Amino acid sequence: MQALLEAGIPLAAVISNRPAARGLDIARSHGVATAVVDHREHPDRESFDRALAARIDTFQPDLVVLAGFMRILTPTFTRAFAGRLVNIHPSLLPAFAGLDTHRRALEAGVRIHGCTVHFVTEELDHGPVIAQAAVPVHEHDTEDELAARVLAQEHRILPAAVNWFLAGRLRVNGMRVSLVDENMTETALRVPETS
Ligand code: NHR
């Protein structure tokens, strides 16, 4: 979220389900509107998702970005925002969907790891891929070291993907996303560096 602000992307609002989320303070310090929809005040996911969707609608955003948002969304929500809802996920999807991606990548012994910006659909972490960045996994990496290397790339590809969306340059064809007027391979793929 901070990377979006620093990239100059106009945020209509920052909304969290956690009242103590640090992103809320960062947003306030940038003069961005904030709201909290606390999931603990709702009896079930449907009710939370309806309240969240209603609050988002008051801000009339062009795009909804999940950035560290940790609640699985029901089809009621994903259908309401279909085609204008994206997530940044800390793995090279479809590898390591779900949680604890860096620990699982280390356990699996992969040499390359990374992050993915994708459209959110009802199938968790399986929507059409917009951009990916790869990083090397070093021999003696800890989970934290690997996470930091991936995070630096998350901060590059999320603002890039959001800018493409806002410029109306993304086309979705089934699971494949293309970028109008540009070769996607040269722009939406970040290849691993060796350090
Ligand atoms: N919802 C849908 N329908 N589809 C996606 O692709 C979604 C989504 C909601 C969140 C982000 C995702 C990630 O990038 C995301 C993608 C949380 C969980 C999870 O298991 C899984 C994936 C993601 C985020 N959440 C637990 C739950 O029961 C709670 C875990 C916790 O609070 O620590 O909701 O990683």
Side-chain angles (χ1 to χ4, degrees), residues 1-11 14 23 26-27 29-30 32 159:
M1 188 273 289
Q2 189 164 10
L4 296 178
L5 282 171
E6 286 170 8
I9 290 163
L11 300 188
V14 169
I26 296 169
S29 75
H30 282 79
V32 172

Side-chain angles (χ1 to χ4, degrees), residues 112-195:
I112 296 174
H113 185 44
C115 50
T116 302
V117 181
H118 64 95
F119 283 106
V120 171
T121 62
E122 54 193 273
E123 197 185 348
L124 189 68
D125 294 332
H126 279 85
V129 168
I130 301 167
Q132 294 188 301
V135 303
V137 179
H138 294 317
E139 180 135 22
H140 301 292
D141 266 348
T142 64
E143 198 177 323
D144 285 351
E145 286 166 336
L146 183 56
R149 196 174 305 123
V150 172
L151 187 62
Q153 297 303 315
E154 294 180 47
H155 293 161
R156 297 173 63 192
I157 66 171
L158 185 58
V162 168
N163 276 324
W164 293 332
F165 181 92
L166 295 178
R169 295 181 62 203
L170 296 178
R171 295 288 178 274
V172 185
N173 227 309
M175 284 298 281
R176 305 190 72 166
V177 178
S178 58
L179 184 59
V180 172
D181 294 335
E182 213 158 335
N183 181 332
M184 203 62 162
T185 309
E186 285 167 12
T187 52
L189 170 72
R190 309 284 179 191
V191 297
E193 293 151 23
T194 50
S195 57

Side-chain angles (χ1 to χ4, degrees), residues 17-18 39 45 66 68-75 77-78 85 87-90 93 96-101 116 118-127:
N17 62 305
R18 293 175 44 219
H39 63 279
R45 286 181 193 268
L66 307 182
F69 182 74
M70 295 308 292
R71 307 290 305 172
I72 295 172
L73 295 161
T74 64
F77 186 97
T78 57
L85 177 60
N87 176 45
I88 174 95
H89 180 79
L93 291 173
F96 310 119
L99 305 176
D100 293 322
T101 55
T116 302
H118 64 95
F119 283 106
V120 171
T121 62
E122 54 193 273
E123 197 185 348
L124 189 68
D125 294 332
H126 279 85

